[in-house]
Amino acid sequence: MANWLDSAIAFFSPSWGARRAAWRGSFEEMRNYDAGSNARLNANWRVSNASAEMTDRGYRDIIRARARDLERNSDLMASVTGPYKRNVVGRGFQLQAATKRSTLNKELEKHWKRWTQARNCDVTGTQSLNQILRMAVVRKKIDGGILFVKRYTSAGIVPFQIQMLEVDELDTMQTGTKANGNRVIGGIEYNRYNRPVGYWFRQYSIDGFSITEPVYVPAKDVIFYFDKKRPSQIREVSDMSQTITRIRDTNEFMTAVSVKERIAACLAVFIKKTFPPMTGGTFGRPATGQGAEERFSYDGKMLTPGMIKEMNVGDEAQVVNPTGQATDATAFTKLQQRMIGAGQGLSYEATSRDMSETNYASARQGIIEDELTYVEEEEQIIAILDEIYETFVISCVLSQLVTIPDFWDKKDDYLAHKWIKQPKKWIDPLKESSATKTALNTGQKTFKQIAAEEGTDWRQQIDDTAEVLEYARKKGIDLEGVIFDGKAKAAQEPEPEPQPEPGEGGTEPAGQDGKEPAAGEGSGEDVGETGSGKGGQE
């Protein structure tokens, strides 16, 4: 609306007033960001900027509680956490010690396999290392994080075990600034660079109620597994925070549809009475005597097939048949589950296990994209395994389970190792193997790369192949053509000696008596009984 100045200008000079109004309208239409506008559509969108800890602190616990509630009661929540657990950890990671001593490598791998059993690696003795890792992946998705605490006990084969603690056990009552200048926030002590130097944990009794004095654990003995999304973030937030509202809405929708369908499946009959059942009597008593009609109750009556039943005079039966049909729940839930999976970086097929709309190419592309999501979690899991393995090796040396005289001088060499994950099964193994063979033959991949993708060590694979071939030769079995392709086998076979021409080198000619064959008897024109050479001159 024009102000008084605009009105005055328009009164004395309409042309100038029109120009001024046009410029004012153009200026009002100018904007830089719709997302930053406070216009009508964004009127209720009020936000502010704050540090990550200030933003997360007030909502961390309630988001975690809601995510846990959905974990207990929602199949949609399980459809998201399940693929992470199966694909990030799966059957676990195989250790390959990489020291320069092969005998030491085998010894360390043997002890590691024993240590990963539940009675050796877990302070509670209830979970193997693979089970601990699977639980950790799920707890990170639901709770936002979990803590691995190194405990030095005498219960296992080495004086080292793992204790798993939930983020709830961080003592948030421990706050303030220490004498050394460190600050304690959310149960974690930080130095001036916001690097954790220690953790304060509540100590619950086994019933989960009574609490003793908190215990302090140095940061070198704690591995905090969580996602850090901002530089100012110091603690966890549930990975499902973007998704739990949609999961809950979908659950509520499905519950409403289920109730509606259950009601529609019921046959309800109501009796409409013309007169009340007690009419005609005194003080509420039914009328008696001559002319009074006998009335009966419908209590306990039920509809049966082929039923013929008389009703009271004036009564009318009305059948309740709900009209309409349920909302198309399939399309709605598919859309919701697609968005739920996308919010967690997964495809619809990975969360729903519905492959009805895919072919080989689309399923393969979906697996590739999902694998990129899982790799991010695998990196964190492998980093945790690296630290656990290094502590395990040091414990082996200190307990003299293995003897390495120069360990402390060459510690990095003796801690060298790598992890090999078990390969996944493909949709079409024939196509995958053909593609691998083509990539190898064209130089796009090396045998080392292919072996790594299959979860094996290329040196070990070659050694195993050579061992199999050598054993087969001793037993008189030729496996060359089975293990190698036809070209490799042909290269190993001796070339046949060239045959001399007829009449040369003292060999007999094609005829049986050394003479030229007669016409029609094996001459060059004779191509067999089905040919035209035999008797062709007839």
Side-chain angles (χ1 to χ4, degrees), residues 494-524:
E495 296 183 0
E497 297 181 359
Q499 298 294 330
E501 294 294 331
E504 295 182 1
T507 58
E508 294 183 356
Q512 296 180 357
D513 55 356
K515 298 180 181 180
E516 291 293 332
E521 297 181 1
S523 63

Side-chain angles (χ1 to χ4, degrees), residues 106-399:
K106 294 180 180 179
E107 189 176 3
L108 289 174
E109 291 170 6
K110 180 186 69 175
H111 293 320
W112 172 260
K113 187 175 182 180
R114 285 184 58 202
W115 183 82
T116 56
Q117 297 174 356
R119 63 178 180 270
N120 293 318
C121 70
D122 185 11
V123 291
T124 64
T126 58
Q127 288 183 302
S128 66
L129 184 60
N130 283 342
Q131 292 171 331
I132 288 176
L133 294 178
R134 294 188 192 104
M135 180 185 68
V137 170
V138 175
R139 294 271 53 86
K140 177 177 174 294
K141 299 302 294 182
I142 301 297
D143 300 345
I146 193 170
L147 298 109
F148 295 73
V149 181
K150 303 175 186 178
R151 297 299 189 186
Y152 304 100
T153 67
S154 58
I157 61 173
V158 294
F160 166 57
Q161 291 183 309
I162 297 173
Q163 182 182 17
M164 304 302 296
L165 296 179
E166 295 182 306
V167 291
D168 307 67
E169 298 181 70
L170 285 170
D171 190 0
T172 56
M173 301 301 294
Q174 299 291 328
T175 58
T177 303
K178 300 293 183 180
N180 56 5
N182 292 341
R183 295 165 298 168
V184 180
I185 302 174
I188 306 176
E189 183 177 344
Y190 300 90
N191 63 11
R192 56 181 296 195
Y193 300 108
N194 291 341
R195 177 171 182 163
V197 296
Y199 294 78
W200 290 92
F201 293 104
R202 298 189 184 101
Q203 295 188 89
Y204 294 93
S205 63
I206 194 170
D207 58 7
F209 290 103
S210 57
I211 304 176
T212 61
E213 289 296 323
V215 62
Y216 178 82
V217 180
K220 65 181 180 64
D221 292 330
V222 179
I223 305 173
F224 196 176
Y225 174 35
F226 76 104
D227 269 344
K228 185 173 182 178
K229 300 176 182 178
R230 292 180 58 185
S232 57
Q233 182 179 352
I234 59 176
R235 277 198 56 180
E236 83 296 336
V237 173
S238 173
D239 290 353
M240 303 299 296
S241 59
Q242 306 94 334
T243 314
I244 57 176
T245 54
R246 193 173 301 279
I247 292 177
R248 182 177 182 273
D249 291 344
T250 307
N251 286 339
E252 295 294 323
F253 169 78
M254 292 305 301
T255 300
V257 170
S258 177
V259 171
K260 181 178 180 181
E261 290 299 315
R262 289 163 60 186
I263 294 174
C266 297
L267 176 63
V269 177
F270 291 87
I271 305 300
K272 181 179 179 182
K273 295 179 178 295
T274 305
F275 302 101
M278 295 303 208
T279 302
T282 306
F283 300 107
R285 292 192 299 271
T288 58
Q290 190 175 12
E293 297 181 357
E294 181 182 0
R295 303 186 64 85
F296 56 86
S297 172
Y298 299 101
D299 293 343
K301 302 297 188 299
M302 59 185 300
L303 298 178
T304 58
M307 181 187 71
I308 300 177
K309 180 70 176 179
E310 293 183 358
M311 302 180 66
N312 292 325
V313 177
D315 290 353
E316 177 184 355
Q318 295 183 349
V319 179
V320 177
N321 185 18
T323 60
Q325 59 184 359
T327 307
D328 188 1
T330 302
F332 178 80
T333 53
K334 274 190 174 183
L335 174 61
Q336 294 297 311
Q337 192 156 15
R338 195 179 299 274
M339 297 178 69
I340 289 169
Q344 297 298 316
L346 300 178
S347 62
Y348 166 74
E349 290 75 19
T351 57
S352 68
R353 312 294 291 275
D354 178 13
M355 306 297 173
S356 60
E357 300 177 0
T358 61
N359 52 32
Y360 175 79
S362 60
R364 188 70 172 86
Q365 182 63 32
I367 291 175
I368 292 174
E369 295 296 330
D370 292 339
E371 190 65 25
L372 297 177
T373 301
Y374 301 138
V375 164
E376 297 180 9
E377 296 292 337
E378 287 180 12
E379 290 179 354
Q380 291 182 282
I381 291 294
I382 289 176
I384 293 172
L385 284 175
D386 287 341
E387 185 169 347
I388 292 175
Y389 174 73
E390 291 176 1
T391 307
F392 163 78
V393 175
I394 293 174
S395 299
C396 288
V397 174
L398 293 176
S399 63

Side-chain angles (χ1 to χ4, degrees), residues 33 41 69 82 89 114 124 286 304 353 422 439-440 460 468 470 475 502 525 530 536:
Y33 292 98
L41 296 179
D69 176 70
V89 179
R114 285 184 58 202
T124 64
T304 58
R353 312 294 291 275
Q422 295 295 328
L440 180 62
Q460 185 65 38
V468 170
E470 182 63 26
K475 295 296 183 179
E525 298 175 353
T530 58

Side-chain angles (χ1 to χ4, degrees), residues 6 9-11 13-26:
D6 294 331
I9 294 175
F11 177 81
S13 178
S15 61
W16 278 103
R19 293 179 184 178
R20 185 176 177 87
W23 276 103
R24 178 180 295 279
S26 300

